[in-house]
Amino acid sequence: MTAERGFEPLVTIVGFHHAKGPEIETWFGAEEGSDPAADNEWPLLPFMALSDGAHAATEDFSYFTLRKETTPTKPATSLFGISCTRQMDANQLINRPTDVTRSTVQKAVVVIADSPQYFGRLRERLSIVTQAWFAQKQANIFQGVWTALLTKFQESLADSLRGADDDRDQYLGLSLREFIHEFKYQTLVLFKCCLLQPKMLFFGSRCERLCMMQFALISLIPGLIRNLQDCADPELSSYEKGLVLPSSFKTSDRTSVLSYMGLPLQIFSKGSLFGPYTPLQQLDILADYGTKSYIVGSTNSLLLQQKDRYSDILINLDEGTIGITSSSLRNALVLSVADRRWIDFITQSVNDTWDESNPERPKTLGYMGSEEFIRLQFEEYLLSMIASVKYHNHLDNHKKDLKAFLPEIEGDPSLDFGSDFIDAWQSTENYRIFQKFTDPHLFDIVEPKHPCAGGLTMDDIQRRLAQQVSELHLDERFSVGKEVLGKHLATGQKKVSSAFNNLWADIEVMREAQKKRHEEMRAAAAASGETPPPSSTSSYTPERGIKASSRTGASDLSTAQASVAAASNRAGAYLSSWASWAGEKRWGRSTSSSTSSSSPAVVIAPLPPRRTGTADRESTGSMRSIELELARKSFEEEIFEAGSVEEGEGAGKGGRANGDGEKAGKGLGQDAGKEGREGKDKLSSSDAEKEEKPHPHS
């Protein structure tokens, strides 16, 4: 059954008033003196025509549904509107009116028809008319030229729609390829979700894309676009009243076969609503008790804050996500292995023929992956599901009759579509209508089998892995990473080169400054009659400076080490000699034996027994302290002598640079050595005097 013809398309102008908001300005095609908005109770028409966020674009389109009230000859039905909204700067207006107080002028040209199947070609004509109107830069719509233009446009619409073929599907503008390319396997999830009739909410910032996605989804059900007469209000149910149980069909007529199979599945029956664009002012209808299910779209983000209240499933087109809030719905929409294999095949066909410059057409210009290919695939899937469910019911009614089983069908084919989904679908309103007006043996016409029936295979796993890897876009990420790395390396190379160049420039500046300073010193010395200092900057290079400093540091270090080693050796030898002498004195050994030839032998008399009295201990301790003090002084003098020699040598080196430092260094070293020898002679004479004195106890 198709929607009844006879409705003349209407054209209206909706403008935005700075104080009243959106309002209807005039009608074209309506009877003289009538107001269709008041007659049919369309108070929300201006808000549907001017969508939220339309001011953000130069041109935008809005699609909506309206309820047409009952007339004496026709029942209540649904109407469909398409609105083209444009805006322009108010300063560009010719003869700007005084009531135009806003910076922009925003208006919409609206066409209202009884079916949306012609909106594809109607959209282009509406865009041209609206653009021509704004090109006049006139705010007054009642000028003769503009009125004549819109009147002619309305009459041409009536003539073209009156002669249109109702039996031919019109899908222009509803791109299934883009839908599948964006949602991939979730396209089948959304398709099965429509059949379960939940509360579906689409959200997007672009109104036209929001509406087109919804039309693309419901167009996957064959014949549904031409049978939407009950979608504008949940109270409408005229479609079911006009159905009869078919008794025959023509195999050569596709429409006849689909009608016999129970298509279209009427998902917009009593209690359901379809609103491609739904303004916030219509939320009370969504929350009404009589509204059981709907498919609506909104551009207002306020609905996202109340998604649990107004939706069972939320499709966010801006983010490309699908959120299911109902747990029972989530379980029913889990895809089976056969379902996933089937939708992956379609997705791969679209991706293999994808053309970025023209997404609606395969780049091969062939049948695979085309719009018609996709629609026929979904039609086959739906017919197979219907036949499988009919066979499932047949098995339940004839469990004990083995003759009722089809020999070529093994088991229950409906399980390949998901048992939870089949159970949920059998509780919906569209299944009730389908079951009521279809033959129970539809599986004799269409094979009750899933198009991709079978268990999980290795090919399925490999295909899913390949798709998941392709979704990661590793090539794009690696290419971006390589590009970023190359940029960083080039930047780092430039920075390092700049640093080295700056360093070398600083060295050159220092060299030139040092050279200039030496030249000034030489010039000053020549002027005063003094000997100019030697200039080494003229032949200075960083390499020579480094080598010269290395040689000077090495020679100074070796000289210091040799001086310290010589002083240590002399100090050790001197301490050893004094220790020997002190030992001999301690034990009373005589060192004054005669060296003449008349003494045959040296007689060493034993020491007398030592007394342990206080006086003896005191004298022994005093002698030992004297010996240690003398040894310490002699050692200090020897070290001082060695140090004086080194200082003399150093001073001599410095004196050579100034002309007379060498003599001063040698004189200091000779004086220090002389003082050391005099101290040693004094110590020897004092030791001889002590030796001549008799021991108090001898």
Side-chain angles (χ1 to χ4, degrees):
M1 175 181 176
T2 60
E4 292 194 24
R5 305 296 303 171
F7 178 80
E8 295 292 333
L10 298 174
V11 177
T12 183
I13 304 298
V14 176
F16 188 88
H17 193 271
H18 68 280
K20 301 177 183 179
E23 61 178 1
I24 298 176
E25 298 182 356
T26 186
W27 286 93
F28 297 90
E31 296 181 0
E32 187 70 25
S34 64
D35 186 359
D39 297 341
N40 294 279
E41 298 182 359
W42 295 339
L44 300 181
L45 174 60
F47 299 95
M48 295 177 179
L50 289 177
S51 61
D52 296 333
H55 60 277
T58 304
E59 183 182 65
D60 200 2
F61 290 85
S62 173
Y63 300 78
F64 51 90
T65 59
L66 297 169
R67 173 189 169 116
K68 186 178 184 300
E69 296 296 335
T70 305
T71 62
T73 58
K74 297 179 182 179
T77 185
S78 298
L79 298 179
F80 304 88
I82 175 174
S83 169
C84 179
T85 305
R86 291 186 69 91
Q87 61 180 349
M88 66 178 298
D89 192 347
N91 296 325
Q92 298 179 0
L93 291 176
I94 302 176
N95 300 325
R96 177 176 177 176
T98 57
D99 59 345
V100 178
T101 59
R102 295 172 59 89
S103 60
T104 58
V105 176
Q106 188 178 24
K107 294 183 182 296
V109 181
V110 184
V111 175
I112 300 176
D114 60 348
S115 177
Q117 61 179 325
Y118 312 108
F119 281 178
R121 58 185 180 181
L122 181 59
R123 176 193 179 280
E124 301 300 328
R125 299 175 62 184
L126 183 60
S127 176
I128 294 174
V129 171
T130 308
Q131 186 176 0
W133 175 33
F134 271 79
Q136 297 180 11
K137 300 181 181 180
Q138 296 287 342
N140 187 5
I141 64 173
F142 298 104
Q143 294 182 352
V145 177
W146 177 235
T147 303
L149 176 63
L150 288 181
T151 302
K152 189 66 176 178
F153 173 63
Q154 188 274 332
E155 293 175 355
S156 65
L157 288 178
D159 295 338
S160 61
L161 297 181
R162 189 181 298 113
D165 185 6
D166 290 344
D167 295 333
R168 193 180 73 174
D169 292 331
Q170 301 289 339
Y171 299 119
L172 182 62
L174 309 178
S175 177
L176 293 179
R177 286 174 52 82
E178 294 183 53
F179 198 103
I180 294 179
H181 183 73
E182 180 174 353
F183 289 101
K184 299 178 177 59
Y185 73 92
Q186 291 180 333
T187 305
L188 182 57
V189 174
L190 295 177
F191 175 74
K192 298 176 74 172
C193 184
C194 289
L195 301 181
L196 299 183
Q197 293 183 259
K199 295 180 178 181
M200 298 183 66
L201 174 61
F202 284 77
F203 172 78
S205 57
R206 293 178 52 193
C207 187
E208 182 180 17
R209 182 171 180 267
L210 175 74
C211 300
M212 287 292 97
M213 283 296 180
Q214 298 174 66
F215 277 114
L217 182 61
I218 65 174
S219 68
L220 292 175
I221 301 177
L224 183 59
I225 289 291
R226 293 183 285 109
N227 293 275
L228 293 175
Q229 57 266 37
D230 296 336
C231 70
D233 194 284
E235 297 179 359
L236 300 179
S237 59
S238 60
Y239 177 79
E240 183 180 358
K241 295 177 181 179
L243 290 178
V244 294
L245 182 64
S247 58
S248 62
F249 64 94
K250 296 180 180 180
T251 56
S252 59
D253 188 355
R254 173 175 172 269
T255 303
S256 177
V257 174
L258 294 179
S259 298
Y260 186 84
M261 295 295 296
L263 297 180
L265 296 176
Q266 189 51 262
I267 61 175
F268 299 114
S269 56
K270 187 176 181 59
S272 300
L273 175 68
F274 177 50
Y277 173 69
T278 303
L280 293 180
Q281 291 78 6
Q282 206 173 2
L283 290 182
D284 56 340
I285 300 178
L286 303 182
D288 189 78
Y289 178 77
T291 306
K292 305 299 182 182
S293 65
Y294 49 74
I295 297 178
V296 296
S298 176
T299 59
N300 199 311
S301 59
L302 294 177
L303 276 179
L304 297 179
Q305 303 175 6
Q306 304 182 24
K307 60 182 180 179
D308 295 338
R309 178 183 179 185
Y310 291 105
S311 67
D312 295 326
I313 178 172
L314 173 65
I315 300 94
N316 193 326
L317 299 181
D318 290 345
E319 299 179 357
T321 58
I322 297 177
I324 304 176
T325 57
S326 174
S327 58
S328 58
L329 180 63
R330 186 183 302 108
N331 295 332
L333 294 179
V334 175
L335 299 182
S336 64
V337 175
D339 283 344
R340 188 59 186 268
R341 185 185 299 121
W342 179 79
I343 191 61
D344 286 346
F345 164 71
I346 298 178
T347 303
Q348 187 66 31
S349 301
V350 173
N351 293 336
D352 291 344
T353 58
W354 185 255
D355 187 3
E356 289 290 346
S357 60
N358 190 2
E360 298 181 1
R361 186 177 62 182
K363 63 181 180 181
T364 59
L365 303 180
Y367 173 72
M368 290 294 295
S370 63
E371 294 278 325
E372 189 66 21
F373 167 79
I374 296 172
R375 296 189 188 281
L376 291 180
Q377 291 297 319
F378 274 90
E379 180 180 309
E380 180 188 7
Y381 179 89
L382 194 57
L383 292 175
S384 300
M385 185 192 73
I386 290 173
S388 299
V389 172
K390 285 292 186 178
Y391 185 68
H392 168 77
N393 297 335
H394 179 74
L395 294 179
D396 290 342
N397 297 331
H398 303 83
K399 294 181 179 179
K400 298 181 180 180
D401 188 5
L402 298 179
K403 295 182 180 180
F405 293 3
L406 296 179
E408 65 274 11
I409 303 300
E410 181 180 356
D412 187 356
S414 66
L415 297 179
D416 288 332
F417 297 90
S419 58
D420 292 338
F421 169 75
I422 297 300
D423 294 340
W425 181 54
Q426 289 179 336
S427 62
T428 61
E429 185 69 13
N430 71 87
Y431 176 80
R432 182 190 64 80
I433 299 175
F434 162 76
Q435 189 70 6
K436 180 180 178 180
F437 295 99
T438 53
D439 189 273
H441 292 83
L442 293 181
F443 53 86
D444 291 333
I445 301 174
V446 177
E447 184 181 13
K449 184 180 180 181
H450 196 288
C452 293
L456 185 65
T457 62
M458 186 59 64
D459 294 337
D460 298 331
I461 298 176
Q462 293 176 353
R463 182 173 58 256
R464 293 186 187 181
L465 290 177
Q467 290 180 355
Q468 291 176 359
V469 171
S470 63
E471 291 175 1
L472 294 177
H473 303 288
L474 296 179
D475 296 338
E476 299 178 4
R477 295 183 180 181
F478 285 150
S479 61
V480 173
K482 291 179 181 179
E483 183 178 357
V484 172
L485 181 60
K487 290 181 179 179
H488 285 300
L489 289 177
T491 304
Q493 184 178 4
K494 291 181 180 179
K495 290 182 178 180
V496 172
S497 300
S498 177
F500 275 110
N501 293 336
N502 294 336
L503 178 60
W504 188 256
D506 294 341
I507 292 176
E508 290 295 328
V509 170
M510 293 175 61
R511 188 180 68 81
E512 293 296 333
Q514 187 176 8
K515 180 179 179 180
K516 184 177 180 180
R517 187 167 57 254
H518 276 275
E519 290 178 355
E520 292 176 354
M521 292 175 61
R522 293 180 62 184
S528 60
E530 298 178 358
T531 303
S535 176
S536 60
T537 58
S538 59
S539 60
Y540 173 80
T541 59
E543 294 81 359
R544 295 179 181 179
I546 294 173
K547 294 179 179 179
S549 60
S550 301
R551 289 194 297 268
T552 304
S555 61
D556 293 343
L557 180 61
S558 59
T559 303
Q561 291 177 350
S563 301
V564 172
S568 300
N569 293 333
R570 288 195 296 269
Y574 196 71
L575 286 176
S576 299
S577 63
W578 273 102
S580 300
W581 178 82
E584 292 177 357
K585 288 295 183 180
R586 174 69 178 82
W587 298 105
R589 295 179 181 177
S590 176
T591 58
S592 59
S593 58
S594 177
T595 57
S596 61
S597 58
S598 59
S599 301
V602 177
V603 179
I604 300 176
L607 293 175
R610 301 179 58 185
R611 297 180 182 180
T612 58
T614 303
D616 188 21
R617 286 195 300 270
E618 292 179 355
S619 60
T620 305
S622 61
M623 288 295 295
R624 186 175 302 172
S625 61
I626 292 173
E627 294 172 356
L628 293 176
E629 183 67 19
L630 293 174
R632 184 182 63 81
K633 290 182 177 181
S634 178
F635 174 71
E636 291 179 353
E637 293 173 355
E638 192 71 23
I639 295 299
F640 177 75
E641 180 181 357
S644 300
V645 173
E646 285 188 42
E647 291 180 359
E649 293 176 357
K653 293 179 180 180
R656 285 192 301 270
N658 296 323
D660 56 349
E662 184 177 2
K663 295 180 180 180
K666 290 183 178 181
L668 180 61
Q670 291 175 0
D671 293 341
K674 183 177 181 181
E675 289 179 1
R677 287 190 296 273
E678 289 177 357
K680 184 175 180 181
D681 295 340
K682 291 180 181 179
L683 183 61
S684 301
S685 60
S686 63
D687 291 338
E689 291 177 358
K690 290 180 182 180
E691 186 177 358
E692 292 177 357
K693 291 180 181 181
H695 196 276
H697 299 285
S698 59

